[in-house]
Structures are given as C-alpha cells and as structure tokens.
Amino acid sequence: MTDPASHRQIPVLLDCDPGHDDAVAILLALGSPQVRLLGISSCFGNCSVEDATRNIQRVLALAGHAEIPVATGAAGPLLGDAALGNYVHGASGLDGPPLPDPAADVVAEDAVGFLRRMLVESDSPVTVVVTGPMTNVGRLLRDHPEVAPRIAEVVFMGGSTERGNHTPTAEFNTYADPDALDLVLRADVPVRMVGLNLTHQALATPDVVKQMLAVPGVIGQTCAAWMGFFGDSYERLWEFSSPPVHDPCTIAALLDPDVIEWREAFVAVELDGRWTRGTTVVDLHRRYPDQSPNVRVAMRLEVDRYWDLVLAALERLSDRLAGADR
Ligand code: RIB
Ligand code: CA
C-alpha cells in the first residue's frame, strides 16, 4: 500500500550544476514533503560536470539521502565551448565548508538516458527543474521528442527580463547553452522561466543567515557557510551586499503557487549576436504582435514566504538526521 500522501506529491527531476545555490535547491527539494525527487542529473556550468556530479553526491550524503539516483550529464554545450562559473563558486564548484564523501555511485546511464527512463517509468507527468545550462534537457527533447507529453512542465532558473550577469545582457545559464534553451522553447512542453529579475529578490541577508545558523546540526551550519563563500563572490564581482540565492526559487514555485507572481510573455533567446548571444528577449508588452506568449515568466517574489519555505526544509532535514542518530 503506497502512502496516500505520495499521490499528492509532485514528481520532480532536477538537472543542476552545483554550485552553492543549486545545493540549497537540492536541500529544499529533499526537505519539502510536497516533492517526490525522482533523481538528479548533473551538468557542466558552475564547474566541470565531474565536479558538479561529485558535489551533488556530497550534498546528498550531507542530507542523509544517498538513495536519490544521480546521473552524469553534459560536459559542454550543444555548440561551442564550455563556459564555467568557477570564478563564482570556487575551484571545486562548491567551495567553503567540508562535505562528506559521496555515499553512492552514479547510475550507469548518462543524464539523457536516465531522464528518459524516469519519464517513461513515471505513472504521472514529471516536473523537470533545470538550474544550470539547459544542455541535458535540450538534448533529451531533441533526441527523444516522444517524451514531451510525459513532462508536466520545465521550470528553469535562467535568463532575465533585464540585465545579465555573465555578460552585460546574458545570464550565465542561458549564456552557457543558448541553443539548448532554444530547443526547449520550441518544444511542445509548458515552460516557466525564473530569471535574474526574480532571483535578485532572493537575497540571503544577515538575518536569513542567522536563521540558517539557528537550524540545529550540520545542515544549518553548512548552508550558512555556503552563503558566506557565495556572498564574498557576489560582493567581489557584482557589489552585492548579500548573495541572491537563485536556484531554490524554482523549487519554491512548486511548493507554493503564491510565492511568485508570474506573467505570460513571448520569450526568445539570442543565438547570433556578437555581444548578445545567450540573452533572453522577454516581450512583456506584446511589442511583437505576431509572437504569442510561450513562457510564464517569474516577476515578483514573496521574499519572507520564500525563506520560510527554505528554512522549514532545512529544519526537516536536520530533524531527520537527528532522528537517525538516536
Ligand atoms: O546566473 C545564476 C545561475 O548560474 C545559477 O543557477 C547559478 O547556480 C549558476 O548556475
Ligand atoms: Ca545553477
């Protein structure tokens, strides 16, 4: 007899490039009972795919969830060279506090094979969350278009309705593989975009970090230390007084429909501009009348509610670890 609550859970596949904020997104997914995390696939981005894979495994070991399957994904974009974000996240991609060694091996399939199998085996459509470059999911939909009806929606952190970060106009994830994002935008799947215009509202202020430190045990301490490293990078590179914790916003959107205000808009990604490749073009005011809205774009964050969701998940994980030690 399966747990009746499990039928109300949202089946989720997470594709990510940890990355400090990806790591918090993993903990938010693990610590939220509304989510049934089917698996995690890695992608190059904040660091090499090898380091991203290891970082996923280490975060799962930290959280006591080594049972979550992990698949290794793309080492670079569909076209061109790999842009890496070690300048933000450090040499390991997740610099800062010590983390446990991986407690389980990766699955035998690569990310595309794993994602496809998970979608085929699921008894209901799956929400695919992408918090790194879109390469794995773009390749999945290009090579296996038959799985599109099995995807409830793609929710991705990337792009922006305003300026970029990796370049003046392009956000890092969309810059890293704009061709993959273009494939997903053209596919027959619902898409929600959580761009910098939204995630720059999700600042880990000193008060937030203080609340993380109040979470008993290693979970709270580690998250607070991650915010320290991530915050130093954001202050050095972009003069932020507190770091924007981008990626968990995608998971929070699944937990509470009211935590983010959305807007339907036509979104395209620039593929050819010498200075603008990877820039998301978001038509908020129907300036292209012949282009129908194709994406729901995140516009406003209920900041206190967001952090309540994150901190509650950290508390649950901490309680579960404490229970395991008893
Ligand atoms: O631009 C921010 C995004 O790029 C986040 O997902 C961060 O983790 C990096 O992947
Ligand atoms: Ca990321």
Side-chain angles (χ1 to χ4, degrees), residues 17 21-22 46 131 157 165 171-173 246-247:
D17 63 335
D21 53 329
D22 303 75
N46 286 321
T131 63
M157 191 281 137
N165 54 10
E171 178 277 327
F172 176 78
N173 288 336
H246 311 279
D247 294 337

PDB file of all heavy atoms in Angstrom, residues 17 21-22 46 131 157 165 171-173 246-247, ligand 1:
ATOM      1  N   ASP A  17      23.853  22.202 -11.620  1.00  0.00           N
ATOM      2  CA  ASP A  17      25.314  22.344 -11.749  1.00  0.00           C
ATOM      3  C   ASP A  17      25.922  22.871 -10.448  1.00  0.00           C
ATOM      4  O   ASP A  17      26.565  23.911 -10.410  1.00  0.00           O
ATOM      5  CB  ASP A  17      25.667  23.284 -12.913  1.00  0.00           C
ATOM      6  CG  ASP A  17      25.152  24.723 -12.695  1.00  0.00           C
ATOM      7  OD1 ASP A  17      24.174  24.900 -11.940  1.00  0.00           O
ATOM      8  OD2 ASP A  17      25.776  25.652 -13.274  1.00  0.00           O
ATOM      9  N   ASP A  21      24.049  27.736  -4.875  1.00  0.00           N
ATOM     10  CA  ASP A  21      22.598  27.908  -4.849  1.00  0.00           C
ATOM     11  C   ASP A  21      21.877  26.658  -5.336  1.00  0.00           C
ATOM     12  O   ASP A  21      20.789  26.322  -4.841  1.00  0.00           O
ATOM     13  CB  ASP A  21      22.173  29.152  -5.623  1.00  0.00           C
ATOM     14  CG  ASP A  21      22.706  29.203  -7.047  1.00  0.00           C
ATOM     15  OD1 ASP A  21      23.800  28.674  -7.305  1.00  0.00           O
ATOM     16  OD2 ASP A  21      22.024  29.770  -7.908  1.00  0.00           O
ATOM     17  N   ASP A  22      22.520  25.906  -6.270  1.00  0.00           N
ATOM     18  CA  ASP A  22      21.952  24.607  -6.652  1.00  0.00           C
ATOM     19  C   ASP A  22      21.895  23.689  -5.436  1.00  0.00           C
ATOM     20  O   ASP A  22      20.937  22.947  -5.237  1.00  0.00           O
ATOM     21  CB  ASP A  22      22.817  23.926  -7.701  1.00  0.00           C
ATOM     22  CG  ASP A  22      23.035  24.740  -8.941  1.00  0.00           C
ATOM     23  OD1 ASP A  22      23.841  25.696  -8.880  1.00  0.00           O
ATOM     24  OD2 ASP A  22      22.397  24.450  -9.962  1.00  0.00           O
ATOM     25  N   ASN A  46      28.601  25.785 -13.342  1.00  0.00           N
ATOM     26  CA  ASN A  46      29.366  26.445 -12.266  1.00  0.00           C
ATOM     27  C   ASN A  46      30.762  25.849 -12.123  1.00  0.00           C
ATOM     28  O   ASN A  46      31.654  26.468 -11.542  1.00  0.00           O
ATOM     29  CB  ASN A  46      28.619  26.315 -10.939  1.00  0.00           C
ATOM     30  CG  ASN A  46      27.407  27.230 -10.885  1.00  0.00           C
ATOM     31  OD1 ASN A  46      27.462  28.359 -11.369  1.00  0.00           O
ATOM     32  ND2 ASN A  46      26.316  26.737 -10.322  1.00  0.00           N
ATOM     33  N   THR A 131      18.436  24.028 -13.184  1.00  0.00           N
ATOM     34  CA  THR A 131      19.067  25.185 -12.529  1.00  0.00           C
ATOM     35  C   THR A 131      20.504  25.398 -13.003  1.00  0.00           C
ATOM     36  O   THR A 131      21.295  26.053 -12.319  1.00  0.00           O
ATOM     37  CB  THR A 131      19.045  25.035 -10.990  1.00  0.00           C
ATOM     38  OG1 THR A 131      19.822  23.881 -10.633  1.00  0.00           O
ATOM     39  CG2 THR A 131      17.633  24.904 -10.475  1.00  0.00           C
ATOM     40  N   MET A 157      15.774  28.034 -13.945  1.00  0.00           N
ATOM     41  CA  MET A 157      16.421  29.263 -13.498  1.00  0.00           C
ATOM     42  C   MET A 157      17.335  29.684 -14.636  1.00  0.00           C
ATOM     43  O   MET A 157      18.260  28.958 -15.005  1.00  0.00           O
ATOM     44  CB  MET A 157      17.233  29.058 -12.218  1.00  0.00           C
ATOM     45  CG  MET A 157      17.694  30.386 -11.600  1.00  0.00           C
ATOM     46  SD  MET A 157      19.151  31.092 -12.434  1.00  0.00           S
ATOM     47  CE  MET A 157      18.711  32.820 -12.551  1.00  0.00           C
ATOM     48  N   ASN A 165      24.334  38.687 -16.118  1.00  0.00           N
ATOM     49  CA  ASN A 165      25.389  38.697 -15.093  1.00  0.00           C
ATOM     50  C   ASN A 165      26.722  38.213 -15.696  1.00  0.00           C
ATOM     51  O   ASN A 165      27.750  38.839 -15.554  1.00  0.00           O
ATOM     52  CB  ASN A 165      25.003  37.889 -13.845  1.00  0.00           C
ATOM     53  CG  ASN A 165      24.585  36.449 -14.165  1.00  0.00           C
ATOM     54  OD1 ASN A 165      24.748  35.970 -15.298  1.00  0.00           O
ATOM     55  ND2 ASN A 165      24.049  35.748 -13.159  1.00  0.00           N
ATOM     56  N   GLU A 171      22.411  36.148 -18.855  1.00  0.00           N
ATOM     57  CA  GLU A 171      22.563  35.423 -17.580  1.00  0.00           C
ATOM     58  C   GLU A 171      23.396  34.166 -17.849  1.00  0.00           C
ATOM     59  O   GLU A 171      23.371  33.608 -18.964  1.00  0.00           O
ATOM     60  CB  GLU A 171      21.143  35.076 -17.066  1.00  0.00           C
ATOM     61  CG  GLU A 171      21.104  34.297 -15.783  1.00  0.00           C
ATOM     62  CD  GLU A 171      21.299  32.806 -16.035  1.00  0.00           C
ATOM     63  OE1 GLU A 171      20.852  32.330 -17.092  1.00  0.00           O
ATOM     64  OE2 GLU A 171      21.917  32.150 -15.178  1.00  0.00           O
ATOM     65  N   PHE A 172      24.106  33.664 -16.814  1.00  0.00           N
ATOM     66  CA  PHE A 172      25.084  32.608 -17.048  1.00  0.00           C
ATOM     67  C   PHE A 172      24.483  31.342 -17.669  1.00  0.00           C
ATOM     68  O   PHE A 172      25.023  30.791 -18.634  1.00  0.00           O
ATOM     69  CB  PHE A 172      25.791  32.244 -15.727  1.00  0.00           C
ATOM     70  CG  PHE A 172      26.754  31.089 -15.893  1.00  0.00           C
ATOM     71  CD1 PHE A 172      28.000  31.292 -16.468  1.00  0.00           C
ATOM     72  CD2 PHE A 172      26.381  29.809 -15.520  1.00  0.00           C
ATOM     73  CE1 PHE A 172      28.883  30.229 -16.647  1.00  0.00           C
ATOM     74  CE2 PHE A 172      27.253  28.746 -15.689  1.00  0.00           C
ATOM     75  CZ  PHE A 172      28.503  28.951 -16.269  1.00  0.00           C
ATOM     76  N   ASN A 173      23.389  30.820 -17.115  1.00  0.00           N
ATOM     77  CA  ASN A 173      22.862  29.538 -17.590  1.00  0.00           C
ATOM     78  C   ASN A 173      22.447  29.612 -19.064  1.00  0.00           C
ATOM     79  O   ASN A 173      22.732  28.699 -19.840  1.00  0.00           O
ATOM     80  CB  ASN A 173      21.663  29.090 -16.750  1.00  0.00           C
ATOM     81  CG  ASN A 173      22.061  28.639 -15.357  1.00  0.00           C
ATOM     82  OD1 ASN A 173      23.194  28.239 -15.117  1.00  0.00           O
ATOM     83  ND2 ASN A 173      21.119  28.738 -14.416  1.00  0.00           N
ATOM     84  N   HIS A 246      19.625  32.051  -6.192  1.00  0.00           N
ATOM     85  CA  HIS A 246      18.807  31.911  -7.404  1.00  0.00           C
ATOM     86  C   HIS A 246      17.983  30.610  -7.435  1.00  0.00           C
ATOM     87  O   HIS A 246      16.761  30.634  -7.542  1.00  0.00           O
ATOM     88  CB  HIS A 246      19.699  31.925  -8.652  1.00  0.00           C
ATOM     89  CG  HIS A 246      20.696  33.016  -8.731  1.00  0.00           C
ATOM     90  ND1 HIS A 246      20.388  34.297  -9.157  1.00  0.00           N
ATOM     91  CD2 HIS A 246      22.026  33.023  -8.452  1.00  0.00           C
ATOM     92  CE1 HIS A 246      21.484  35.037  -9.148  1.00  0.00           C
ATOM     93  NE2 HIS A 246      22.490  34.313  -8.722  1.00  0.00           N
ATOM     94  N   ASP A 247      18.691  29.479  -7.389  1.00  0.00           N
ATOM     95  CA  ASP A 247      18.098  28.217  -7.832  1.00  0.00           C
ATOM     96  C   ASP A 247      16.944  27.682  -6.989  1.00  0.00           C
ATOM     97  O   ASP A 247      15.993  27.113  -7.555  1.00  0.00           O
ATOM     98  CB  ASP A 247      19.197  27.155  -7.965  1.00  0.00           C
ATOM     99  CG  ASP A 247      20.168  27.507  -9.076  1.00  0.00           C
ATOM    100  OD1 ASP A 247      19.788  28.271  -9.982  1.00  0.00           O
ATOM    101  OD2 ASP A 247      21.307  27.021  -9.050  1.00  0.00           O
TER     102      ASP A 247
HETATM  103  O1  RIB B   1      23.149  33.078 -13.122  1.00  0.00           O
HETATM  104  C1  RIB B   1      22.869  32.310 -11.978  1.00  0.00           C
HETATM  105  C2  RIB B   1      22.782  30.854 -12.324  1.00  0.00           C
HETATM  106  O2  RIB B   1      24.032  30.413 -12.862  1.00  0.00           O
HETATM  107  C3  RIB B   1      22.529  29.960 -11.096  1.00  0.00           C
HETATM  108  O3  RIB B   1      21.860  28.805 -11.492  1.00  0.00           O
HETATM  109  C4  RIB B   1      23.915  29.610 -10.662  1.00  0.00           C
HETATM  110  O4  RIB B   1      23.954  28.389  -9.913  1.00  0.00           O
HETATM  111  C5  RIB B   1      24.606  29.440 -11.977  1.00  0.00           C
HETATM  112  O5  RIB B   1      24.332  28.130 -12.462  1.00  0.00           O
END
